[in-house]
Amino acid sequence: MIHFVLLFSRQGKVRLTKWYSPYSQKERTKAIRELSGGILPRGPKLCNFVDWRGLKVVYKRYASLYFCMCIDSEDNELECLEIIHHYVQILDRYFGNVCELDLIFNFHKAYFILDEVLIAGELQESSKKSVARVIAAQDSMVDAAKEQMASLSNIIAQATR
Amino acid sequence: MALSGMRGLSVFISDVRNCQNKEQERLRVDKELANIRTKFKHEKGLTPYEKKKYVWKMLYIYMLGYDVDFGHMETVALISAPKYAEKQVGNVGGKEFSESLAPDVQKLLISSSCRPLVRKKAALCLLRLYRKNADVVNVEGWSDRMAQLLDERDIGVLTAVMSLLVSLVANNPDGYWNCVSKCVKIIERLTRSQDIPQEYTYYGIPSPWLQVKTMRVLQYFPSIEDPNIRKSLFEVLQRILMGTDVVKNVNKNNASHAVLFEALSLVMHLDAEKDMMSQCVALLGKFIAVREPNIRYLGLENMTRMLLVADVQESIKRHQAQIITSLKDPDISIRRRSLDLLYGMCDVTNAKDIVEELLQYLTTADFAIREELALKAAILAEKFAPDLSWYVDVILQLIEKAGDFVSDDIWYRVVQFVTNNEDLQAYAAATARDYLDKPAVHETMVKVAGYLLGEYSHLLARRPGCSPREIFPIIHDKFPNVATSTKALLLSAYIKILMHSQPGDPELQKQVLSVFKKYETYLDAEVQQRAIEYFVLSQKGPSMVDIMAEMPKFPERQSALLKKAEDTDGDAAELSATKLRLQQQTSNAVVVVNQHSANGTSHPAPLSSVSSGTRNIDRGFLEQSQVGPQHNDVPVKAAGMVQSLTADLLGDLLAPLAIEAAPASVAATPTTAILPLEEPPVGPADPLALAVLDGNSSSVQPVGSTSDWFNALCKKDSGVLYEDPFIQIGIKGEWRGPQGRVVIFLGNKHTVALTSVRAIVLPPSHLRMQLPPVPELIPPRAQVQCPLDVLSLHASREVPVLDFSYNNSAVTVGSKLRLPVVMSKFLQPAPISSADFVAIWRSLAGPPNKLQEVVRGVNPMLISEMTELFNMFHICVSPGLDPNPNNIVAATTFFSESGATLCLVRVETDPADRTQLRLTVASTDASTTFELKEYIKEQLVDISSITANPATLGFTGPAAALAGLL
């Protein structure tokens, strides 16, 4: 299973974390520090796997962002590597040429999408279309709710004027 | 979250908060729960808003720690509610209530009327619940339900179900036999791309994830017996093994290889026919030679796995050369895998090659991997040694090449081996002696060599250069630079050498006795006691030979190394030098005061144990020292053990043996028993105090060589700068570019406060330094820290001087010490490409920016030693940049206030005459070039003092606290 997902930038700034196994806050900070320290200096021509505390971390760099997933040592590394790519492709499709800024400003969207891709540290959906549909449905719900709120506050504003 | 509008909720929360006591709170909560319950009963009347409100309230109640035993369905209903806000509440609530949710989730998963979206979430939700509590699927007929679920056509749902099944089968394969045939059907369907919707293909491959998961499930069943199923499965696997090609697209490649590797593991698991197995090995052999690092990594990993399950050792051996190449891969992940594989595939036939390869790699391996490497090499050498002398050679080489990474267990083991094999003893002693002749000897080597020579040097006495009189100075040469524990060990070696020299050699006796005499007043209780007792013993003459007889053989026992390797598997880096140091620290905290009690208890040592034979005592001491690696254990404990010295100690202590231990009582026992001493051995403590006071009134001498300390500190950032019986000055430096911060630790070791303490730094012109005033008084056993900021203005070889003095209630002691703020502290290694190097080298044509000098009188050393030296001074050697192997090319950056200067260095050595070399230094700044050239020259010429053993610090007293800070 995937124990956690970690996104950090070239500078080591953390952009997204998702933990599927229990880690205390202290352990999380430690894990992030150790992994960004261990992965960032690695050159481009090295393999995408790093041993870490008896587990394995599969990472891939996309532009300035490193996507890392931590799996059990006997899990299939390449499968996980392609889960990363699958997630990135979905992000890319959703944002249209996704870049780091998209993930900074719309981090909640990144989390929503991740929740549709992974649950309990396992791949939930391998169809990009299907994920896109769910996210679109969710977005339209958010819009409707927002609209409703806006019209309500309009009414209140007018009434209290 | 739109909480603002929920008045009811906020009223409820403030009500609860205003409750005076627990009872009131309970009443309020019960009332609310009753309210919610009635509301939910008449559900039809509830608006979504109300539903949401009540779920929020229930959530709050749940968080307060009350049981909420209803409303889960309402929560689940909210998950699929049409509006976003409600849905969100449902999700939050879902988590909190999950424990009692399992039956509902199961229902959702099974019901065919539910949307696929909900069902796949339900499957994974159940997986999550299952991980928490395996009982959630303890339902009658659940495996049939799982089998039914495998008929699912929606690949998304099927993927989720398969994840669930992996977990279920992993824990209970027997329960799910009925799923095997369905899984095989699924994998067949996938590999044939039958009926797979376009959106579930990934780069043209039908859901690789589902393929991998399905094959994973099959690996958890012990075996597949049904011949039909087996046959069709093997057809599929054969197709995957043969039909996977390397393509250009990285992702497609990864996906197809993910499937391929999973198929490989399944083949291994199913214990296929020989043909298919060798096909797999051939495939893996191809993989470990490809350029793509991921595939190479996985190839090595799977080969290692293959070793465990199948009898393929011979076919894997054919790839040995390739695997050894991978040991030098630039990628540490790959190096690790290849190390694992080599370790796994090693046997009697190839042990020699592999171990030698590992030893060679050890010198260049990175720190993260060295300890593991050393341990593995040691284990292989022991396990598969073709002859024992080879084993001794390997371990000694290991210590020489990576002393810091050789844990004590390794050398204890070699000593055990030598002790138990008489044929080996002379050889081991002779080899150890040769190693001591080398210019830089690691402390561990000093220990092994000291021990071996102490025990067996008399076997060599007739060889040239090996008479006791010649051996002694070779060992004693190392004595000033080693830690206290080693000193104690060496003292034992001396007395043994002395006792074994037949006929007695008065000259040697004089030398050895003067050493004992000198250390009778040593600060460390252990060393002091040994010195005193050996002194007395040695004067007893030949009658004492028995006491100092050779160690008896050790009982055969499991290698502590293997045990350790098992313990630390996967986490070898953790058990590093730091951990050992930590253990030493705690044990070092022995205060002189303890000596009274220690000797007190050891005094009435039972005579019986002595009269039963001196060998027994030796054995006892040895066994007792096996208690643990804390060789400096508090003497009290050791003494207590002597009393209970019985035969059962011999048997059940399997802990690693610690030869160096010999705590105070060891020598004390024979002393009390055998020597008709008028004074009980409690004595040493009192004379000690007197002796120290005597020393006081005359002059206080440092306990080691200040220049050794200084030289050691030039190469590292923390350590002892000065130590005498009263004070220890430690240093810890941090360097960043042109700036540095040096913290000076002044530790009072004495029981009397030190007064009129004064410390002034005299900075040379090229440094700007600021030392805040030092407190005038250091209380007994206390430590003061003084931070010192340093800024480098320009290059220079001069060093600042610390002028310090103190008064120890009797006399004023003062000294001027060089501070190790040397040029190398402002250097940072600059890895450089050969193109850059050549370009810059050419652009700096000649003096004054490029200076060349032939240096004579160089201390001879190998290129590898010189490389290490350069790297130690932060001058980064680029191996292979110069085609001539006798030359070194290096680059470094010098930092000063005005900026960074790149400096290039070239050393041309003459293999025929190592005492001279040509040194060329180039940089854009003339003075930096000159200073760096002179600095390097000094290091090369003055090597003997510089390569003094770095691990020479014996921490005692406050130094233990100091070590904690370092």
Side-chain angles (χ1 to χ4, degrees):
Chain A
M1 71 173 282
I2 297 169
H3 293 283
F4 55 81
V5 178
L6 207 59
L7 256 74
F8 48 80
S9 68
R10 184 84 203 92
Q11 288 75 37
K13 278 256 183 302
V14 178
R15 296 298 179 209
L16 181 148
T17 55
K18 184 90 191 174
W19 309 83
Y20 297 104
S21 293
Y23 285 86
S24 71
Q25 198 54 47
K26 223 173 159 186
E27 289 166 330
R28 291 181 184 192
T29 339
K30 202 169 169 214
I32 293 172
R33 198 179 51 232
E34 286 181 4
L35 285 176
S36 55
I39 290 174
L40 286 175
R42 284 172 66 85
K45 285 202 178 128
L46 306 184
C47 71
N48 297 84
F49 320 123
V50 183
D51 291 342
W52 179 74
R53 294 169 174 268
L55 300 171
K56 224 170 249 172
V57 174
V58 177
Y59 73 95
K60 185 150 186 178
R61 180 180 174 178
Y62 289 90
S64 59
L65 271 184
Y66 284 81
F67 289 69
C68 311
M69 289 187 182
C70 175
I71 53 175
D72 288 316
S73 60
E74 67 273 17
D75 282 348
N76 191 317
E77 297 89 349
L78 286 175
E79 179 204 15
C80 183
L81 192 59
E82 289 317 290
I83 293 182
I84 293 179
H85 188 66
H86 176 61
Y87 176 50
V88 173
Q89 277 184 319
I90 295 172
L91 286 177
D92 198 54
R93 236 177 246 193
Y94 180 80
F95 288 109
N97 246 339
V98 67
C99 67
E100 194 180 338
L101 282 181
D102 289 327
L103 300 187
I104 295 171
F105 291 121
N106 290 306
F107 62 92
H108 55 297
K109 292 283 163 62
Y111 277 105
F112 290 160
I113 296 176
L114 186 61
D115 284 342
E116 294 301 330
V117 176
L118 295 175
I119 287 187
E122 300 285 349
L123 182 69
Q124 180 198 171
E125 182 52 83
S126 57
S127 150
K128 295 182 216 13
K129 257 191 207 157
S130 164
V131 175
R133 272 199 300 271
V134 177
I135 295 293
Q138 208 180 45
D139 279 354
S140 70
M141 264 196 250
V142 175
D143 288 343
K146 267 189 189 157
E147 236 164 66
Q148 199 187 15
M149 287 293 289
S151 63
L152 258 176
S153 53
N154 259 345
I155 295 167
I156 295 167
Q158 277 173 357
T160 52
R161 187 179 292 163
Chain B
M1 285 175 217
L3 281 174
S4 48
M6 284 193 197
R7 210 170 145 265
L9 178 64
S10 39
V11 167
F12 170 62
I13 291 175
S14 59
D15 274 2
V16 170
R17 285 210 179 148
N18 288 335
C19 286
Q20 299 289 324
N21 53 40
K22 202 79 193 155
E23 200 45 43
Q24 271 186 15
E25 189 183 291
R26 171 169 291 282
L27 282 174
R28 181 69 186 89
V29 168
D30 282 346
K31 188 178 147 202
E32 196 61 38
L33 281 176
N35 178 26
I36 298 171
R37 201 171 282 141
T38 44
K39 291 278 177 179
F40 276 154
K41 269 195 186 141
H42 316 287
E43 198 187 329
K44 285 196 185 97
L46 286 183
T47 60
Y49 164 78
E50 279 172 320
K51 265 196 218 164
K52 190 169 70 177
K53 184 172 78 178
Y54 292 129
V55 172
W56 274 121
K57 280 185 183 173
M58 280 161 54
L59 194 55
Y60 185 71
I61 292 170
Y62 179 80
M63 284 187 331
L64 287 175
Y66 295 94
D67 282 336
V68 179
D69 48 8
F70 66 99
H72 305 133
M73 264 334 272
E74 281 74 14
T75 317
V76 178
L78 279 179
I79 297 181
S80 47
K83 276 197 190 151
Y84 175 69
E86 274 99 66
K87 191 178 158 73
Q88 204 175 31
V89 178
N91 281 335
V92 175
K95 234 185 208 166
E96 296 287 322
F97 293 103
S98 60
E99 293 292 304
S100 39
L101 212 60
D104 297 339
V105 179
Q106 289 170 359
K107 252 178 250 161
L108 282 176
L109 176 57
I110 299 159
S111 83
S112 52
S113 61
C114 250
R115 289 190 298 154
L117 174 69
V118 177
R119 295 182 57 208
K120 71 192 172 202
K121 290 199 171 163
L124 292 173
C125 180
L126 198 59
L127 169 62
R128 176 107 178 85
L129 298 178
Y130 175 72
R131 281 185 191 142
K132 267 209 144 93
N133 173 14
D135 292 336
V136 297
V137 296
N138 268 351
V139 187
E140 191 64 27
W142 182 251
S143 62
D144 294 335
R145 304 252 171 88
M146 282 309 288
Q148 271 172 31
L149 284 170
L150 294 178
D151 292 332
E152 175 66 46
R153 301 314 278 178
D154 184 297
I155 307 273
V157 178
L158 196 54
T159 310
V161 168
M162 205 57 88
S163 298
L164 175 61
L165 187 61
V166 169
S167 222
L168 294 177
V169 175
N171 290 317
N172 175 22
D174 296 333
Y176 294 90
W177 276 112
N178 51 354
C179 296
V180 173
S181 62
K182 298 225 164 151
C183 287
V184 175
K185 285 234 170 63
I186 292 172
I187 190 80
E188 259 188 303
R189 180 182 138 203
L190 285 168
T191 45
R192 285 171 206 255
S193 304
Q194 285 168 340
D195 186 20
I196 308 293
Q198 175 61 31
E199 56 178 306
Y200 284 101
T201 56
Y202 183 81
Y203 289 95
I205 302 164
S207 186
W209 296 287
L210 184 53
Q211 291 195 40
V212 168
K213 277 192 210 305
T214 316
M215 287 194 272
R216 188 44 69 98
V217 170
L218 291 172
Q219 285 171 54
Y220 285 114
F221 293 103
S223 68
I224 295 173
E225 302 298 343
D226 186 322
N228 288 330
I229 298 180
R230 204 178 154 87
K231 188 168 158 255
S232 45
L233 181 59
F234 273 114
E235 273 172 27
V236 172
L237 292 175
Q238 187 71 39
R239 198 169 327 124
I240 297 174
L241 291 187
M242 300 310 294
T244 309
D245 296 318
V246 178
V247 290
K248 265 218 169 121
N249 184 305
V250 183
N251 299 100
K252 182 169 183 177
N253 228 359
N254 285 343
S256 62
H257 280 83
V259 175
L260 175 61
F261 278 112
E262 203 61 49
L264 274 172
S265 356
L266 185 54
V267 170
M268 286 185 239
H269 171 77
L270 291 176
D271 216 7
E273 291 78 31
K274 260 246 137 61
D275 285 359
M276 203 157 182
M277 281 301 196
S278 47
Q279 197 184 342
C280 287
V281 179
L283 208 54
L284 288 176
K286 209 175 82 192
F287 287 154
I288 61 171
V290 298
R291 272 185 50 205
E292 160 72 26
N294 286 342
I295 304 292
R296 208 158 61 224
Y297 174 95
L298 291 169
L300 291 167
E301 185 181 35
N302 281 283
M303 264 198 188
T304 316
R305 279 185 197 160
M306 200 149 195
L307 278 174
L308 297 177
V309 293
D311 186 23
V312 287
Q313 196 122 3
E314 287 310 313
S315 30
I316 287 184
K317 266 194 216 161
R318 262 177 256 143
H319 302 285
Q320 190 170 321
Q322 184 61 43
I323 299 167
I324 285 172
T325 320
S326 300
L327 199 57
K328 291 152 194 156
D329 197 274
D331 188 341
I332 182 158
S333 300
I334 292 181
R335 289 198 297 265
R336 278 224 163 99
R337 284 294 84 80
S338 126
L339 176 61
D340 282 351
L341 178 53
L342 283 176
Y343 179 66
M345 67 189 275
C346 192
D347 63 13
V348 189
T349 59
N350 55 9
K352 232 172 174 164
D353 293 341
I354 290 184
V355 171
E356 258 144 42
E357 207 52 61
L358 293 184
L359 280 177
Q360 207 178 45
Y361 171 48
L362 197 56
T363 40
T364 50
D366 21 5
F367 291 100
I369 203 171
R370 271 195 199 180
E371 175 149 2
E372 197 185 336
L373 193 62
L375 187 62
K376 287 194 164 158
I379 292 173
L380 292 180
E382 181 185 326
K383 239 169 138 180
F384 301 114
D387 55 273
L388 291 169
S389 56
W390 178 76
Y391 169 70
V392 173
D393 283 343
V394 167
I395 302 294
L396 290 182
Q397 268 186 56
L398 204 62
I399 296 171
E400 190 203 7
K401 286 181 171 161
D404 283 337
F405 298 90
V406 174
S407 54
D408 287 344
D409 296 318
I410 295 180
W411 79 263
Y412 295 164
R413 191 70 186 157
V414 83
V415 163
Q416 262 182 33
F417 243 87
V418 174
T419 311
N420 288 4
N421 291 286
E422 277 165 30
D423 311 341
L424 206 55
Q425 290 166 354
Y427 176 78
T431 322
R433 186 210 171 279
D434 291 344
Y435 272 104
L436 280 189
D437 274 345
K438 305 209 169 179
V441 183
H442 193 271
E443 173 134 4
T444 310
M445 184 64 86
V446 177
K447 286 187 202 169
V448 191
Y451 184 90
L452 290 176
L453 289 174
E455 290 288 319
Y456 306 115
S457 64
H458 59 277
L459 300 175
L460 309 176
R462 285 168 199 280
R463 301 191 191 185
C466 293
S467 68
R469 199 200 287 208
E470 282 157 311
I471 296 265
F472 170 70
I474 296 176
I475 305 177
H476 193 57
D477 199 31
K478 315 290 175 201
F479 194 86
N481 298 331
V482 294
T484 329
S485 58
T486 314
K487 282 195 167 79
L489 187 144
L490 290 185
L491 288 182
S492 302
Y494 295 165
I495 182 106
K496 290 210 170 195
I497 292 178
L498 183 62
M499 288 301 175
H500 290 313
S501 64
Q502 296 296 342
D505 180 341
E507 178 60 21
L508 176 69
Q509 181 162 22
K510 209 174 113 198
Q511 284 174 8
V512 173
L513 288 186
S514 78
V515 174
F516 290 152
K517 195 82 202 156
K518 183 173 169 198
Y519 284 90
E520 274 179 0
T521 53
Y522 193 69
L523 191 80
D524 182 80
E526 177 60 43
V527 173
Q528 187 194 29
Q529 190 162 0
R530 283 195 196 199
I532 291 171
E533 284 161 0
Y534 292 159
F535 184 76
V536 179
L537 275 174
S538 57
Q539 288 181 331
K540 290 286 149 189
S543 63
M544 292 302 115
V545 168
D546 272 355
I547 295 179
M548 290 302 160
E550 275 173 33
M551 286 287 174
K553 285 193 176 154
F554 291 88
E556 277 305 321
R557 51 167 72 105
Q558 190 210 350
S559 166
L561 300 185
L562 276 174
K563 219 168 129 236
K564 186 171 166 187
E566 284 156 18
D567 290 350
T568 59
D569 210 19
D571 206 2
E574 284 289 297
L575 192 138
S576 56
T578 50
K579 206 168 159 191
L580 285 170
R581 204 174 306 137
L582 207 77
Q583 289 173 342
Q584 284 173 2
Q585 256 174 49
T586 47
S587 54
N588 257 326
V590 180
V591 208
V592 185
V593 184
N594 275 347
Q595 189 141 13
H596 278 288
S597 56
N599 284 323
T601 43
S602 76
H603 184 42
L607 273 160
S608 60
S609 77
V610 177
S611 54
S612 69
T614 43
R615 288 233 152 180
N616 226 345
I617 296 168
D618 262 347
R619 174 62 66 87
F621 133 50
L622 228 96
E623 292 292 338
Q624 152 213 346
S625 30
Q626 282 164 14
V627 169
Q630 304 97 323
H631 30 68
N632 288 348
D633 226 322
V634 184
V636 181
K637 183 176 158 199
M641 301 242 358
V642 169
Q643 276 187 320
S644 63
L645 179 108
T646 42
D648 63 342
L649 266 176
L650 307 177
D652 54 12
L653 286 172
L654 283 170
L657 107 136
I659 290 123
E660 62 196 280
S665 55
V666 174
T669 319
T671 329
T672 42
I674 297 168
L675 301 178
L677 281 181
E678 297 288 289
E679 291 272 319
V682 185
D686 300 331
L688 164 77
L690 280 173
V692 170
L693 280 177
D694 281 349
N696 251 346
S697 47
S698 50
S699 69
V700 175
Q701 289 298 325
V703 296
S705 145
T706 48
S707 66
D708 283 352
W709 285 322
F710 172 80
N711 287 329
L713 279 169
C714 289
K715 294 195 287 191
K716 36 180 212 164
D717 286 336
S718 53
V720 171
L721 179 70
Y722 173 86
E723 185 173 353
D724 66 25
F726 298 95
I727 196 166
Q728 186 189 46
I729 303 182
I731 270 199
K732 185 180 181 226
E734 280 175 51
W735 307 96
R736 195 165 296 130
Q739 286 169 336
R741 163 165 278 227
V742 181
V743 183
I744 302 176
F745 299 88
L746 302 167
N748 181 356
K749 307 205 298 187
H750 203 48
T751 45
V752 178
L754 301 181
T755 52
S756 335
V757 179
R758 195 175 58 94
I760 305 168
V761 170
L762 315 169
S765 61
H766 74 287
L767 295 173
R768 193 179 293 150
M769 305 178 100
Q770 198 71 51
L771 182 69
V774 178
E776 274 212 349
L777 180 134
I778 309 180
R781 303 208 169 274
Q783 192 188 55
V784 201
Q785 302 180 11
C786 316
L788 168 65
D789 287 317
V790 185
L791 178 69
S792 145
L793 303 175
H794 56 84
S796 167
R797 280 162 296 137
E798 290 193 20
V799 292
V801 171
L802 178 72
D803 181 1
F804 91 100
S805 62
Y806 64 88
N807 187 306
N808 62 20
S809 75
V811 70
T812 302
V813 182
S815 183
K816 286 198 169 67
L817 301 167
R818 287 181 295 163
L819 283 175
V821 184
V822 288
M823 196 167 170
S824 65
K825 303 285 181 192
F826 302 107
L827 295 179
Q828 265 176 25
I832 192 164
S833 74
S834 96
D836 287 351
F837 188 94
V838 173
I840 302 170
W841 189 257
R842 291 226 174 99
S843 71
L844 300 165
N849 284 342
K850 189 187 209 167
L851 295 172
Q852 193 167 69
E853 185 178 335
V854 174
V855 184
R856 289 181 213 287
V858 175
N859 208 307
M861 61 183 121
L862 297 174
I863 289 291
S864 61
E865 289 167 345
M866 201 182 283
T867 306
E868 206 167 303
L869 184 74
F870 271 63
N871 284 334
M872 225 179 266
F873 288 110
H874 305 150
I875 304 172
C876 172
V877 175
S878 309
L881 214 150
D882 196 312
N884 184 342
N886 289 314
N887 293 355
I888 287 184
V889 162
T892 184
T893 315
F894 173 76
F895 287 90
S896 68
E897 194 190 28
S898 49
T901 318
L902 181 70
C903 310
L904 306 181
V905 181
R906 182 159 187 240
V907 180
E908 292 151 279
T909 62
D910 177 4
D913 180 8
R914 292 211 175 273
T915 59
Q916 60 173 352
L917 50 79
R918 188 160 70 169
L919 173 67
T920 319
V921 176
S923 84
T924 48
D925 179 62
S927 77
T928 307
T929 306
F930 176 76
E931 293 292 339
L932 183 62
K933 190 200 75 185
E934 293 298 314
Y935 181 72
I936 295 175
K937 204 170 87 184
E938 281 175 15
Q939 308 309 324
L940 292 175
V941 174
D942 194 18
I943 192 67
S944 59
S945 60
I946 289 157
T947 45
N949 204 323
T952 56
L953 302 166
F955 293 126
T956 49
L962 177 66
L965 292 160
L966 297 181

